[in-house]
Amino acid sequence: MCGIIGIVGNRGVADRLVDGLKRMEYRGYDSAGICTIHDGDLVRRRAEGKLANLVEELAAHPAPGAIGIAHTRWATHGAPIAKNAHPHATDHLALVHNGIIENYKELRAELSVDGRTLESDTDSEVVAHLISREVENGAEPTDAVQTVLPRLRGAFALAIAFRDYPDFLIGARRGSPLVIGWGDDETYIGSDALALAPLTQQITYLEEGDWTVVRRDGTVIYDEAGQKVEREVTTSGASAAAVEKGNYRHFMQKEIFEQPTVVAQTLGSYVRQADNSVALPQFDFDISSIRRVTIVACGTSYYAGLVAKYWFEQFARVPVDIDVASEFRYREPVLEEGGLSLFISQSGETADTLAALRHCKENGQTIGAVVNVPTSSMAREADLLLPTHAGPEIGVASTKAFTCQLAVLAALAAHMAVKKGLMGREEEQKVVEHLLQAPACLNAALDHDEDIAAMAPLIAPARDVLYIGRGQDFPLAMEGALKLKEISYIHAEGYASGEMKHGPIALIDDEVPVIVIAPSGPLFEKTVSNMEEVRARGGQIVLISDAKGLAEAGEGCLATIEMPEVHPLIAPLVYAIPVQLLAYHVACVKGTDVDQPRNLAKSVTVE
Ligand code: F6R
């Protein structure tokens, strides 16, 4: 969590630092701050709350200077108030940090014995003081940093400005990402290429343990052992424009509406339209020999994995274990020799998922990664990289990444089935045909945007909402509930339809809307029976189905949402649209901050 940026510039940096923070607000938005060096002084400005507050503070009290660092925070240690905002400073230096210093308590105690007073409740401030103490004792900044880094446990990306050295910044990373951007007579550091997109496309990704002295000219990178190293310069595809909302009211809305395009784009890399075959990237292991798949992910990406479990088991007859990443390592999972472990992540940086990936790697698994950021840590550490092509997802609630993940996972499951000899040519062609229908069906689903907006006021007053679905629509029920709770703050749960009678039905009364996700098909009748059980107890039903399903069971519902008739394979992609739109419009009715809901951050880089 948190976003950091630094500029060693040839002119004032404050505006550009703030612009970089704006691009990283998805990483956290509790508080923000900046520190420049000007006329031999550290000039620090910080503000609690949204970035707009820092902009106001800077308008009243500018921060001149051609070198500086900045930070947008998602609080881990210490409340989101001004004194805990970064940069943290001593008389000698200012520091910004993304990550968690796990041994901060003992380091803090050591500093306190030394008579040093820390002003914040954060873990980060101890790092500023440890390095400052070395400098005060006469160490050069590079030596001070090299002495302190090995003492830190946990994860960090750091950027440090030294008051008496206005021509360089020091950056370091372990566990949290950090990039260097190469400009024209300027050099930048930042949490990601997106933050630096308007400044440069020339990016170097620091490796685990690297640290760097960043200068306008003559930047040097060191590895964990302190050896000078060269790291590749790549051209980033991150576009400065990609983080604009265009004519949409919110990023989330824009991203929902991008889905037909980005799913088509993603499918373009996984199927060959000329002969309707599945076409995965080349990789050097025999997928037909895979006897078990382990899927690990968090949140929405986990729900995409749950849908994929149905596909891997149905098509390729491979058993799938699936875990939320924060639980995975701690249950000591049994990993079969030569198994495929699959990690699904929009950001490719989620700390729990990344730690699970590394655990599986250490245990001899082949690592597959379905990620949306091709330069992310997961992408770089995977044996089999399966990128989604959703483009930058800025809204904190994940939407387009989910449907693109589903598209990739369906193609992978079909590919495995083909390689195992369980899916014939004809069936493969049919699967691809169905997948290729998805973009048009997503468009048709989006046509119901206004209907969904019109019914949102019926749901907005609810305190609790239940979502139910069967089979591969069960994970979608959980995804719908997650979307609603995270952006509208209404309590919501997703259940398997048949599970209602085993407990949750006790919650039903006429104030608890139940959203039923039920495309017509083999499981429809059973879901309708469960829906009737709810209705018999006064439950208010919102039925999401196709024309056939609504004709059969739509009568007497609080509301209905009509979807196009689709093949079951693509139903989870298409039915994602109404659950996303419903959450979106309910949040708009409630007037919440849709793109930056309270307490959340887009990229969760702490465990
Ligand atoms: C929900 C949401 C989160 C993420 C989760 C995993 O809308 O966005 O639940 O899905 O934090 O993030 P990634 O996919 O980046 O690993």
Side-chain angles (χ1 to χ4, degrees):
M1 280 355 189
C2 306
I4 68 178
I5 181 167
I7 301 180
V8 186
N10 55 21
R11 60 197 163 92
V13 292
D15 287 353
R16 292 179 293 156
L17 287 172
V18 169
D19 184 61
L21 292 185
K22 196 166 154 219
R23 288 163 186 285
M24 287 188 295
E25 258 191 309
Y26 72 90
R27 302 178 73 93
Y29 37 80
D30 289 340
S31 56
I34 128 172
C35 186
T36 56
I37 306 175
H38 182 60
D39 278 351
D41 272 329
L42 294 170
V43 183
R44 183 167 63 142
R45 309 284 181 243
R46 299 182 295 170
E48 182 178 323
K50 292 288 173 66
L51 192 54
N53 300 347
L54 178 67
V55 172
E56 250 176 51
E57 168 67 16
L58 282 165
H61 305 102
I67 181 168
I69 55 176
H71 185 271
T72 181
R73 179 169 190 247
W74 184 82
T76 59
H77 297 63
I81 51 178
K83 74 165 185 175
N84 291 329
H86 299 220
H88 294 290
T90 66
D91 285 346
H92 293 265
L93 59 87
L95 169 147
V96 288
H97 167 221
N98 167 32
I100 288 183
I101 305 300
E102 286 168 358
N103 57 335
Y104 83 101
K105 279 195 181 145
E106 66 190 62
L107 296 171
R108 201 178 172 101
E110 172 192 313
L111 288 163
S112 138
V113 168
D114 229 11
R116 303 185 75 97
T117 311
L118 275 62
E119 69 161 16
S120 79
D121 309 315
T122 65
D123 53 335
S124 315
E125 195 185 2
V126 296
V127 187
H129 276 266
L130 288 170
I131 296 173
S132 192
R133 185 171 64 179
E134 298 298 321
V135 172
E136 288 158 38
N137 289 339
E140 286 296 313
T142 44
D143 296 331
V145 168
Q146 214 177 354
T147 304
V148 170
L149 291 182
R151 302 200 58 204
L152 307 179
R153 279 207 314 271
F156 55 79
L158 301 168
I160 314 157
F162 295 85
R163 186 196 63 194
D164 298 333
Y165 301 84
D167 53 355
F168 67 83
L169 299 173
I170 293 187
R173 71 151 287 188
R174 192 202 301 154
S176 302
L178 192 66
V179 306
I180 302 179
W182 307 101
D184 215 3
D185 193 29
E186 294 195 327
T187 313
Y188 319 102
I189 44 178
S191 293
D192 59 30
L194 199 60
L196 306 183
L199 302 171
T200 181
Q201 299 291 307
Q202 299 306 302
I203 297 291
T204 292
Y205 291 86
L206 292 181
E207 308 259 323
E208 198 55 2
D210 282 356
W211 59 284
T212 175
V213 181
V214 179
R215 295 174 183 275
R216 253 190 296 281
D217 193 13
T219 293
V220 182
I221 304 172
Y222 301 91
D223 65 11
E224 200 155 14
Q227 298 300 315
K228 271 190 196 176
V229 284
E230 297 288 327
R231 301 285 183 223
E232 199 188 341
V233 180
T234 57
T235 302
S236 148
S239 131
V243 289
E244 303 296 338
K245 278 201 283 263
N247 291 331
Y248 290 95
R249 192 170 155 204
H250 297 103
F251 280 110
M252 182 183 179
Q253 186 190 27
K254 173 178 174 240
E255 288 157 7
I256 291 173
F257 276 84
E258 279 173 354
Q259 289 177 103
T261 309
V262 294
V263 165
Q265 230 160 263
T266 300
L267 282 171
S269 299
Y270 292 90
V271 301
R272 228 184 342 257
Q273 295 200 38
D275 58 356
N276 279 354
S277 61
V278 183
L280 258 71
Q282 288 292 323
F283 38 81
D284 56 8
F285 77 100
D286 177 14
I287 201 165
S288 69
S289 67
I290 296 294
R291 284 178 301 160
R292 177 174 291 273
V293 175
T294 302
I295 299 181
V296 186
C298 298
T300 292
S301 298
Y302 170 71
Y303 297 138
L306 274 181
V307 175
K309 175 179 165 72
Y310 288 82
W311 294 334
F312 281 114
E313 295 188 343
Q314 274 166 15
F315 293 158
R317 308 302 302 153
V318 175
V320 174
D321 287 331
I322 173 158
D323 281 87
V324 288
S326 53
E327 288 296 316
F328 178 69
R329 281 175 302 153
Y330 306 107
R331 72 172 174 84
E332 298 181 26
V334 180
L335 296 166
E336 203 166 300
E337 185 73 36
L340 173 66
S341 295
L342 205 53
F343 300 86
I344 308 170
S345 175
Q346 188 284 126
S347 60
E349 299 293 350
T350 300
D352 286 315
T353 312
L354 186 57
L357 182 154
R358 289 175 178 158
H359 176 85
C360 287
K361 200 163 201 175
E362 278 160 21
N363 285 277
Q365 297 283 289
T366 297
I367 306 297
V370 179
V371 293
N372 195 40
V373 181
T375 48
S376 59
S377 303
M378 283 181 223
R380 283 180 291 130
E381 294 183 30
D383 303 309
L384 164 60
L385 172 60
L386 299 162
T388 48
H389 300 295
E393 192 179 64
I394 306 297
V396 161
S398 188
T399 53
K400 60 177 181 169
F402 176 70
T403 41
C404 287
Q405 287 164 350
L406 290 177
V408 172
L409 290 162
L412 180 63
H415 177 74
M416 195 182 274
V418 169
K419 292 291 174 195
K420 281 181 173 291
L422 295 170
M423 186 179 277
R425 184 72 192 101
E426 211 173 301
E427 200 189 341
E428 180 188 3
Q429 281 179 327
K430 283 226 167 70
V431 163
V432 173
E433 265 170 37
H434 296 315
L435 287 175
L436 289 172
Q437 281 161 5
C441 296
L442 290 167
N443 254 324
L446 286 167
D447 284 345
H448 295 274
D449 178 46
E450 283 182 16
D451 308 336
I452 298 171
M455 59 162 285
L458 298 174
I459 307 298
R463 238 189 59 190
D464 307 285
V465 176
L466 297 183
Y467 286 71
I468 60 173
R470 258 179 195 268
Q472 53 179 23
D473 302 316
F474 163 42
L476 208 53
M478 292 191 277
E479 168 60 3
L482 176 63
K483 286 287 91 84
L484 189 72
K485 67 184 126 186
E486 66 186 333
I487 60 168
S488 76
Y489 315 145
I490 295 175
H491 170 244
E493 297 300 336
Y495 285 103
S497 313
E499 191 63 15
M500 285 295 284
K501 55 188 172 295
H502 298 289
I505 203 162
L507 297 171
I508 298 300
D509 63 23
D510 59 5
E511 290 182 357
V512 180
V514 179
I515 318 289
V516 182
I517 302 168
S520 64
L523 300 178
F524 184 73
E525 304 263 281
K526 287 204 187 303
T527 308
V528 169
S529 302
N530 304 135
M531 182 178 116
E532 292 306 338
E533 290 155 13
V534 168
R535 207 193 323 249
R537 284 150 184 92
Q540 300 290 313
I541 307 287
V542 175
L543 177 60
I544 311 179
S545 186
D546 45 37
K548 204 162 143 208
L550 294 184
E552 264 179 56
E555 215 178 298
C557 290
L558 174 68
T560 58
I561 303 175
E562 186 177 328
M563 288 291 99
E565 211 161 308
V566 296
H567 186 272
L569 174 65
I570 59 167
L573 284 92
V574 177
Y575 280 67
I577 298 274
V579 298
Q580 294 166 353
L581 284 174
L582 185 61
Y584 173 72
H585 287 299
V586 170
C588 289
V589 171
K590 295 197 75 175
T592 56
D593 190 340
V594 170
D595 284 331
Q596 296 182 341
R598 69 185 181 204
N599 303 342
L600 297 178
K602 179 87 186 143
S603 183
V604 186
T605 57
V606 293
E607 281 183 39

